Amino acid sequence: MARDDHPDNKQKQKRTLVGLYLALVATLFLIGIFIIWKYEKDSYHTVETDTVNLRNGPGITYDIKTQAKSGARYRLIEEQQDWEKVLLENGQAGWMPKWLSSSSWDQNQTDESGTGFIATIIKDTDARQDAKEDGKKVADVAKNGKYNILFQQKGWLQVQLNQQLGWIKQEDVEITPGHIPYQSDSSSATEDTTFLKDYDYTVTAEADGAHIRKEPDSNSDIVKEAKMKESFAYLGQSGAFYHVKASDGTEGYLANWLATSNSKAMQKLAETAKATTTLNQKTIVIDAGHGGEDPGAIAQDNTTYEKNMTLNTAKATQKALEAAGAKVIMTRTDDTYVGLAERGELANKNNVDAFISFHYDSAEEKTASGTTLYYYHDHSIPMIQAIQAQLLEQGALPNTGYDYANYQVLRDTKMVATLIELGYMSNPSDVKVFNQDSYYQKVAKAVVDGLTVYFNQKADLMKQIDPTATGSATAKGTTTDDTESDSSSSTDHTVTSTTSDQATSQMSASSEAGASE
């Protein structure tokens, strides 16, 4: 009998075929399970904002049917222009604006919808002079009115009204991306600009009715209201405010997010400092926030991670600092996880001269925008002031000043230290601005220039930044962060001059003063 015809061999062949068959069946079964899982995963989307109103129809004129909270899952069942009809897991259905849907987000969109935000009033309400319930009423705003959003703070939106600004509660509006062309009724075309020839730089108001304050503080008296495109002489900077002078001689402070300036004063200050100071003998720790298993904040496209943005910024800054002669120690150079305690220990162990930590912020409100610097120990304030002044002048996003924060990396470090939030991952417009190499280069230059000025003139820093500034100020604020903040600390913090190295004139640059103009 042939060897292949032996009963034992036939039995083995049969078992092999059966095994292959079962393996094939199991593989097909697993593939089927994966396809079903993938379909379920892809067909469901997640609400990423705090609360989304679901309406009875595709438009804000329809009544609100229900609300979907952050984290709620839904399926897309219909689309009409800029609206999507969705079905929640609890069986309720309604219409939401397409731009709030994670299913339709496109990071590469280039149309005008990504350049700003519009507030549409959903019920008759009041606009107030300040972002608070008892603020002075400046106008009635009617349902369905549309206004450009200029700034956001703690549940309030600053909007452009007719020839004036106003704050409206965010719960009273529907927010959509876009920009409404604005034509001021109070033209500044006839203003006297001849006085500007006596000044090196100018500041231009970009909002009609922008408040010029007596002091660089949002609670200070209003001394003048600027016209759209009105020009002022640049006198200096204090925190998040430009110090300006009007054609009629009025001096005051204008929030930087309501204006533009051609000033190069801070960069000239850095160039002057470089003539006598180098960073050759300085060692700087550059800390790229998050990393590895800790992605940090994630943009709405679900592919842009904070940990990558911070690393890109850190590498650009490392290169710029080393080119300026500094020794740089990086807390991480790739996508690895580094504990918060390790970061501070690294700086302390090497007895470095300064610690700079980069982060990108996130908020429930997509309109939150801009950069902010934080400190823990008072001795860090002069360095922060120097960097903040450069970042305001050179940066591509508005700056809200600086504030106290109980972050571990700042609390643990003994040397001067700051944590810089460089924009909002939750704001599509901010992401477009900072998700590019040119932004990292601007940040890097601002840090190098700021450090150069700080090490050159620590004791006289603020006199150089704003020669007309006098007195001291208070920085108030509390900050929380799930990964770095000690939630037990949420008290007001007063900035005081405690050493001769501190500035002789402190800026009022807390995020409270710098974020509610």
Side-chain angles (χ1 to χ4, degrees):
M1 182 166 45
R3 184 177 181 85
D4 289 344
D5 292 336
H6 194 281
D8 289 343
N9 290 334
K10 288 185 177 181
Q11 207 54 32
K12 287 181 181 179
Q13 291 175 353
K14 185 176 181 180
R15 284 197 297 267
T16 299
L17 290 173
V18 170
L20 290 173
Y21 174 76
L22 292 175
L24 178 61
V25 170
T27 300
L28 292 175
F29 176 77
L30 291 174
I31 291 174
I33 292 295
F34 174 77
I35 291 173
I36 294 172
W37 172 83
K38 190 74 166 54
Y39 172 79
E40 286 290 318
K41 181 177 181 295
D42 291 345
S43 63
Y44 272 103
H45 308 284
T46 304
V47 173
E48 297 178 354
T49 57
D50 184 33
T51 301
V52 175
N53 293 329
L54 298 185
R55 298 183 175 274
N56 286 326
I60 62 171
T61 57
Y62 291 89
D63 290 337
I64 296 173
K65 182 177 181 181
T66 187
Q67 290 185 323
K69 301 294 184 181
S70 177
R73 298 210 314 157
Y74 63 88
R75 279 179 172 168
L76 175 64
I77 56 179
E78 188 178 345
E79 293 185 58
Q80 284 192 29
Q81 295 181 334
D82 294 328
W83 291 76
E84 293 181 345
K85 188 174 184 180
V86 301
L87 178 66
L88 301 177
E89 284 187 306
N90 63 10
Q92 290 184 303
W95 293 84
M96 72 163 64
K98 187 178 287 187
W99 81 283
L100 288 175
S101 167
S102 60
S103 65
S104 61
W105 172 252
D106 179 8
Q107 176 63 30
N108 297 316
Q109 60 179 328
T110 57
D111 63 6
E112 192 67 16
S113 67
T115 62
F117 294 94
I118 297 171
T120 302
I121 310 303
I122 60 177
K123 67 177 183 180
D124 293 346
T125 188
D126 300 327
R128 304 199 174 271
Q129 182 173 282
D130 302 299
K132 53 187 179 182
E133 292 280 2
D134 60 352
K136 178 183 175 182
K137 177 181 174 180
V138 296
D140 294 313
V141 286
K143 181 179 179 179
N144 295 330
K146 294 180 182 290
Y147 304 95
N148 287 324
I149 297 174
L150 304 176
F151 207 71
Q152 178 277 336
Q153 179 201 339
K154 298 177 181 178
W156 291 81
L157 300 172
Q158 187 180 39
V159 299
Q160 177 68 72
L161 304 172
N162 184 24
Q163 300 183 52
Q164 63 179 334
L165 305 184
W167 288 91
I168 300 173
K169 294 182 71 172
Q170 186 161 326
E171 64 188 44
D172 294 336
V173 307
E174 194 93 65
I175 300 173
T176 53
H179 179 78
I180 303 170
Y182 178 80
Q183 181 63 47
S184 174
D185 293 336
S186 55
S187 173
S188 60
T190 59
E191 69 170 309
D192 178 17
T193 59
T194 57
F195 79 107
L196 296 175
K197 63 181 174 55
D198 297 325
Y199 298 89
D200 292 331
Y201 308 112
T202 61
V203 177
T204 302
E206 298 296 342
D208 203 11
H211 298 154
I212 310 298
R213 302 274 183 176
K214 185 176 180 180
E215 301 291 342
D217 188 318
S218 61
N219 296 316
S220 180
D221 293 338
I222 298 170
V223 298
K224 184 181 178 66
E225 290 189 354
K227 299 174 183 178
M228 175 74 83
K229 298 299 181 181
E230 184 175 355
S231 297
F232 298 85
Y234 171 94
L235 301 181
Q237 296 173 201
S238 282
F241 292 77
Y242 292 117
H243 190 179
V244 300
K245 183 177 182 179
S247 59
D248 61 4
T250 301
E251 288 189 27
Y253 294 86
L254 176 59
N256 76 93
W257 60 86
L258 299 177
T260 56
S261 177
N262 64 356
S263 172
K264 303 294 183 184
M266 298 303 103
Q267 294 176 74
K268 281 191 174 182
L269 183 61
E271 289 303 315
T272 300
K274 289 174 185 176
T276 56
T277 301
T278 70
L279 299 179
N280 283 336
Q281 304 301 316
K282 305 302 178 184
T283 302
I284 314 296
V285 165
I286 297 298
D287 174 40
H290 306 284
E293 63 195 47
D294 175 15
I298 303 174
Q300 193 171 348
D301 64 355
N302 287 321
T303 63
T304 305
Y305 291 0
E306 181 185 0
K307 66 176 183 178
N308 297 331
M309 302 298 99
T310 61
L311 185 58
N312 292 339
T313 311
K315 287 182 175 179
T317 306
Q318 175 191 21
K319 185 175 180 180
L321 282 170
E322 289 176 342
K327 176 183 177 182
V328 178
I329 298 174
M330 301 279 281
T331 59
R332 67 182 181 96
T333 57
D334 54 21
D335 187 20
T336 55
Y337 175 78
V338 180
L340 297 176
E342 296 176 64
R343 299 171 193 247
E345 289 172 2
L346 179 66
N348 292 332
K349 180 178 66 175
N350 286 279
N351 194 30
V352 303
D353 296 287
F355 177 93
I356 312 290
S357 181
F358 292 127
H359 284 256
Y360 286 79
D361 219 332
S362 185
E364 293 178 350
E365 305 88 355
K366 283 181 167 41
T367 50
S369 174
T371 62
T372 309
L373 295 84
Y374 293 97
Y375 72 94
Y376 181 79
H377 298 291
D378 283 354
H379 65 249
S380 296
I381 294 172
M383 179 192 70
I384 291 177
Q385 291 172 325
I387 296 174
Q388 186 267 338
Q390 298 291 340
L391 195 58
L392 187 154
E393 182 175 282
Q394 301 185 44
L397 289 173
N399 179 264
T400 62
Y402 69 92
D403 200 2
Y404 167 83
N406 191 19
Y407 291 137
Q408 183 177 343
V409 292
L410 300 181
R411 192 172 63 238
D412 288 353
T413 46
K414 298 176 181 178
M415 68 296 303
V416 291
T418 183
L419 184 149
I420 310 177
E421 297 281 8
L422 288 165
Y424 280 79
M425 300 288 291
S426 49
N427 184 322
S429 296
D430 274 20
V431 173
K432 279 188 175 183
V433 172
F434 64 62
N435 192 13
Q436 50 188 314
D437 185 64
S438 61
Y439 185 82
Y440 313 136
Q441 301 303 325
K442 288 180 179 179
V443 171
K445 185 175 184 301
V447 169
V448 171
D449 287 351
L451 287 173
T452 302
V453 171
Y454 166 69
F455 287 120
N456 178 259
Q457 297 178 7
K458 291 191 289 186
D460 199 31
L461 175 63
M462 286 304 96
K463 200 66 177 177
Q464 294 290 329
I465 289 178
D466 186 354
T468 61
T470 59
S472 60
T474 298
K476 299 177 182 177
T478 59
T479 259
T480 58
D481 185 291
D482 288 342
T483 61
E484 295 194 335
S485 178
D486 181 351
S487 60
S488 65
S489 176
S490 60
T491 58
D492 288 349
H493 186 89
T494 303
V495 178
T496 56
S497 260
T498 57
T499 72
S500 61
D501 283 340
Q502 290 194 334
T504 58
S505 179
Q506 303 285 359
M507 287 189 294
S508 175
S510 70
S511 60
E512 177 180 350
S516 59
E517 166 53 27

